[in-house]
Amino acid sequence: MKKAIYSLAVFLMLIGCGHTFAQDDKSQTKSMTVVGLQNGRVVAVSQNGKFNVQQNIDRTITRLQATGKSRVTLVYDTVNYINVNCDSKEWKFRNDFIIVKGTTLLIDDADGIAVYEVHLKRNDLQFVNRTRQAEIVYGKPGDEDYQFQADTIIVNSFTATPLETTDNMALHQSIEDARRRLNDAKEQMKKSKEEYKEHIRDLKRKQAGIVEVVSEEYTVPDSSDTAFWNSWDNQYTFDGSEFDTEETEVAEDESEYLDEDWDYYFEDRFSPSFLWAFTNWGDKWYNGLSKLDGAYNLKTSFSSWQLEAQYAVIMTRHFKFLLGVGYESDIYKFSDPLVDIDANGNISNAIDALPNQSYSDFIAINQYFDGTNLNDWSSRLVARYISLPMTIGFRTGNFDIGITALPALAINTRHCGLKHSLYTRNIEHQSVTDVSNSLAPYKIDLRIDMRFHHIGLFLQVATSPLFQSSNQDLYPIKFGFIIK
């Protein structure tokens, strides 16, 4: 009987203590104390080892707040619960670190040693905010290392006017996912393009009866990986790991076949070019840089330029044959201020043809130029052509050599011919004399150019005289720069 009475007394005492504790807990703004419960979600507390406590939250949570130095990881889930993790043996958990007021969950940890993993229902949560020293990051379910990844979202502090909503956090995650999917699509597109090109090569090999030995090794990336294309090594990089997009072994007797015309596309074959050069002429095709005497003497001037566009009808690794069309403008500047060109293309000094061979005689005939001097004048011959360049090119690495034949047809416009110009403070005068009948209607020049990458030098000589019936044969020469 006494044992029964003692047992009943102990039972009633325990009930009274529990009631007192509940009343006490309720008085503290209805705080929720995280304890080690015996259910499927809870891990017991160990004061001598790692601290790991997990507790269900059996009410709707619409607002999450972090103060102090709290480190909070927010994870969208189908239930509400909180998990506290800490590796420090010196840290002690207090029941006022985690408080629930109405539908607000408050994490207030002044030390910032533990990590509070908060799982909340996404549809219920409306606002997330923090103080300046607190951290709230957005986690991904099932990832053990998500607490501080690169796609961390830091939400607004209490002092900020607008509060960050969970919709904004979801938008950020959607953007990150879309970026990853876009990278994956780019990788797949590049791989598909290479596979298609290889398929075309296979068909060509089969048509030519070539036996192929091909092996391809590639890895399909996971959709969550981020891919980067390394053009230097011709590889993709996935989170620090690399793999070759394609490894192909080709028989020695097949290597030259892979360089046939079909292996080069329009952008490889098409080549526009610009040429700019010094020009002069001589009495032989090879001595254009040696000056002539009298009225035929020229100033070596940087006044010849050409525009061309060519297409390689034959193209291999080391050889190509190009055809195209071009436009050429040549300006020959005379050393004598005033020269004349007759109907046969003979050039003479205009002053030497006057009675006293002086500029005063010229002024007497042309009163309009009274008060000017002979040195105020300049004379130049302008000739322009439409050309059809034909080039044989050789290349090794980045070094190219081209040998070009340029048949060209002379054109006559109001800007072509012999030009006399006078520029003084009082008079500006320019006259153009048509000399198209004395110029050769067509010509054939030869050119050699040497280029490294796209820039180089060229030398161009004439195979026929500039004028068709002149007493003095004139062979123009050009030396300058080419960009191709």
Side-chain angles (χ1 to χ4, degrees), residues 33 280 329:
T33 303
N280 209 311
S329 175

Side-chain angles (χ1 to χ4, degrees), residues 337-338 359 362 369 372-378 420-422 429:
L338 279 172
Y359 188 68
F362 179 80
F369 304 114
T372 63
N373 298 315
L374 179 61
N375 292 331
D376 294 333
W377 289 86
S378 64
H420 295 137
S421 300
L422 172 67
H429 170 78

Side-chain angles (χ1 to χ4, degrees), residues 174-304:
S174 300
I175 293 174
E176 293 296 329
D177 292 340
R179 185 178 291 113
R180 294 189 184 97
R181 288 194 295 269
L182 179 60
N183 287 334
D184 293 340
K186 290 180 178 178
E187 300 154 18
Q188 189 63 34
M189 184 179 297
K190 290 180 180 179
K191 185 173 67 176
S192 299
K193 182 179 179 180
E194 292 300 322
E195 292 175 351
Y196 174 75
K197 291 171 66 176
E198 183 61 27
H199 175 67
I200 297 299
R201 292 189 182 100
D202 292 342
L203 293 178
K204 293 291 185 179
R205 294 186 187 103
K206 291 178 181 179
Q207 292 176 0
I210 297 177
V211 179
E212 59 185 41
V213 181
V214 180
S215 63
E216 294 184 356
E217 297 180 3
Y218 56 88
T219 303
V220 178
D222 185 80
S223 60
S224 61
D225 292 336
T226 301
F228 303 92
W229 173 248
N230 189 337
S231 59
W232 182 265
D233 296 326
N234 194 32
Q235 291 178 335
Y236 288 115
T237 301
F238 288 90
D239 295 335
S241 62
E242 297 181 351
F243 67 90
D244 294 336
T245 57
E246 180 179 316
E247 297 179 359
T248 305
E249 298 180 3
V250 182
E252 292 183 359
D253 58 350
E254 183 187 357
S255 60
E256 293 185 2
Y257 179 77
L258 294 179
D259 255 344
E260 291 301 326
D261 300 352
W262 59 268
D263 204 33
Y264 295 92
Y265 301 98
F266 178 82
E267 58 270 22
D268 302 315
R269 297 171 178 270
F270 178 74
S271 58
S273 57
F274 174 73
L275 302 92
W276 197 4
F278 294 95
T279 185
N280 209 311
W281 58 36
D283 58 357
K284 301 287 190 302
W285 68 269
Y286 52 83
N287 69 345
L289 294 179
S290 62
K291 295 185 177 182
L292 299 180
D293 297 329
Y296 290 93
N297 186 268
L298 292 181
K299 301 176 182 177
T300 300
S301 58
F302 202 53
S303 56
S304 173

Side-chain angles (χ1 to χ4, degrees), residues 57-63 74-81 118-126 166:
I57 303 175
D58 58 353
R59 67 174 65 187
T60 300
I61 299 299
T62 62
R63 181 188 295 267
L74 173 61
V75 180
Y76 290 138
D77 210 331
T78 57
V79 293
N80 294 339
Y81 70 95
V118 180
H119 291 246
L120 298 176
K121 296 179 181 179
R122 178 175 179 176
N123 294 333
D124 296 338
L125 189 61
Q126 299 177 3
T166 57

Side-chain angles (χ1 to χ4, degrees), residues 4 7 15 68 100 133 156 161 265 353 385 388 427 479:
S7 299
I15 292 176
V100 176
Q133 293 184 327
N156 292 350
T161 302
Y265 301 98
Y385 302 88
L388 299 173
I427 301 175
F479 177 77

